[in-house]
Amino acid sequence: MEVVIAPAERLAVLAADAVEKVVRSRPEAVLGLATGSSPLRVYDELARRHREDGLSFAGVKAFMLDEYVGLPAEHPERYRNVIETEIASRVDFAEGAVQGPDGNAADLVAACAAYEESIAAAGGVDLQILGIGTDGHIAFNEPGSSLASRTRIKTLTAQTREDNARFFGDDVDQVPRHCLTQGLATIMSARHLVLLATGKGKAEAVHQLVEGPISALWPATIMQMHPHATVLVDDAAASRLQLGDYYRQTYASKPDWQGL
Ligand code: F6R
């Protein structure tokens, strides 16, 4: 696991560099997209590179991590709509190239199985962008999630619903209780994991993710088992890392050509 500690703007550039490298080397690449605040600067940077540098996503497929259950199709916080606003509509994905689990399906269990099949049929995810919840979730794999889980229905914790109330007019009652989410094993199948975390509120989750024992209590800790995982954090999110100085020194002496 590589840990990079840098200002948020720099982290976004590094993540966008990694995405650009994958997309330029394989124009039919498969990306994994997260929602929430953490990847927004990365999406801004990718949209800029599309606009100004001709970075094209025309042959790229993308899979979202998760979706709320039961939000009306036109609801602005439905993750399908959030992804459309934040990135899909700002670049040149082909029609239907961005997929997400269907939180309004009549048969949610079948929708989860179909979603797993779609990811597999696309050849798996080359680069997965991730955020982390204050309770250590990745996608919506809340504490207690099976480390071997696949896409399924989950119940959001009270903590996550409170954290996300800011997207719902600060009214926690408007935040759905259920979601469909890629499982931890689904995420672990991606070839490169790039997680972004900023702010003090993420410090304990980041410490557990990088340095804690692997446990379903902190689901993101499963990333320690991934052969190519990159954790991009600002000073505040890195503030509880026991080996923070070591990660800083290691990254400072890394040759530029190596990338992430
Ligand atoms: C969203 C997702 C979640 C978020 C996490 C952090 O698709 O998968 O795991 O990444 O809840 O959210 P933010 O970035 O809003 O702090």
Side-chain angles (χ1 to χ4, degrees):
M1 181 178 281
E2 177 172 34
V3 180
V4 180
I5 304 169
E9 302 72 33
R10 177 76 191 135
L11 301 177
V13 169
L14 291 174
D17 286 349
V19 172
E20 175 162 1
K21 192 171 165 192
V22 169
V23 169
R24 289 213 190 263
S25 62
R26 209 166 86 79
E28 69 290 358
V30 180
L31 298 177
L33 302 176
T35 35
S37 309
S38 303
L40 292 181
R41 281 193 178 89
V42 183
Y43 296 154
D44 287 346
E45 178 62 14
L46 291 173
R48 188 196 66 73
R49 292 182 192 196
H50 168 66
R51 231 176 26 247
E52 295 174 16
D53 306 337
L55 178 63
S56 175
F57 296 79
V60 172
K61 287 198 176 70
F63 289 92
M64 295 163 50
L65 280 173
D66 40 18
E67 181 60 273
Y68 291 117
V69 167
L71 280 187
E74 69 287 356
H75 196 291
E77 290 308 322
R78 189 176 158 240
Y79 278 175
R80 189 67 194 76
N81 298 334
V82 172
I83 282 293
E84 187 62 27
T85 307
E86 301 298 350
I87 181 70
S89 64
R90 301 165 75 193
V91 298
D92 60 343
F93 283 116
E95 186 75 28
V98 180
Q99 298 183 52
D102 182 0
N104 287 325
D107 184 341
L108 292 172
V109 175
C112 292
Y115 195 58
E116 283 283 333
E117 278 167 27
S118 303
I119 297 172
V125 171
D126 292 304
L127 185 150
Q128 175 66 59
I129 296 171
L130 294 164
I132 186 168
T134 55
D135 65 0
H137 69 229
I138 47 173
F140 275 143
N141 292 282
E142 297 286 32
S145 288
S146 160
L147 301 179
S149 49
R150 291 277 167 185
T151 304
R152 69 211 183 290
I153 305 164
K154 285 294 288 182
T155 304
L156 297 172
T157 60
Q159 177 72 59
T160 296
R161 293 181 65 238
E162 275 163 34
D163 288 347
N164 286 5
R166 69 190 194 281
F167 297 117
F168 291 84
D170 282 327
D171 182 358
V172 74
D173 292 333
Q174 299 301 312
V175 184
R177 291 179 183 276
H178 297 102
C179 62
L180 302 187
T181 180
Q182 286 191 27
L184 293 169
T186 320
I187 294 168
M188 289 291 285
S189 304
R191 290 179 269 283
H192 184 192
L193 304 181
V194 178
L195 183 142
L196 294 116
T198 54
K200 191 122 192 120
K202 299 290 174 72
E204 180 61 18
V206 167
H207 163 60
Q208 294 291 340
L209 152 67
V210 178
E211 298 171 332
I214 296 173
S215 159
L217 195 56
W218 291 94
T221 55
I222 191 63
M223 286 175 61
Q224 293 174 26
M225 298 292 288
H226 198 284
H228 192 184
T230 307
V231 175
L232 303 173
V233 286
D234 69 356
D235 280 328
S239 58
R240 289 202 195 156
L241 286 173
Q242 215 169 308
L243 301 182
D245 289 344
Y246 172 65
Y247 308 134
R248 284 187 177 87
Q249 286 158 15
T250 304
Y251 187 67
S253 56
K254 183 178 177 175
D256 274 350
W257 57 262
Q258 241 178 346
L260 293 180

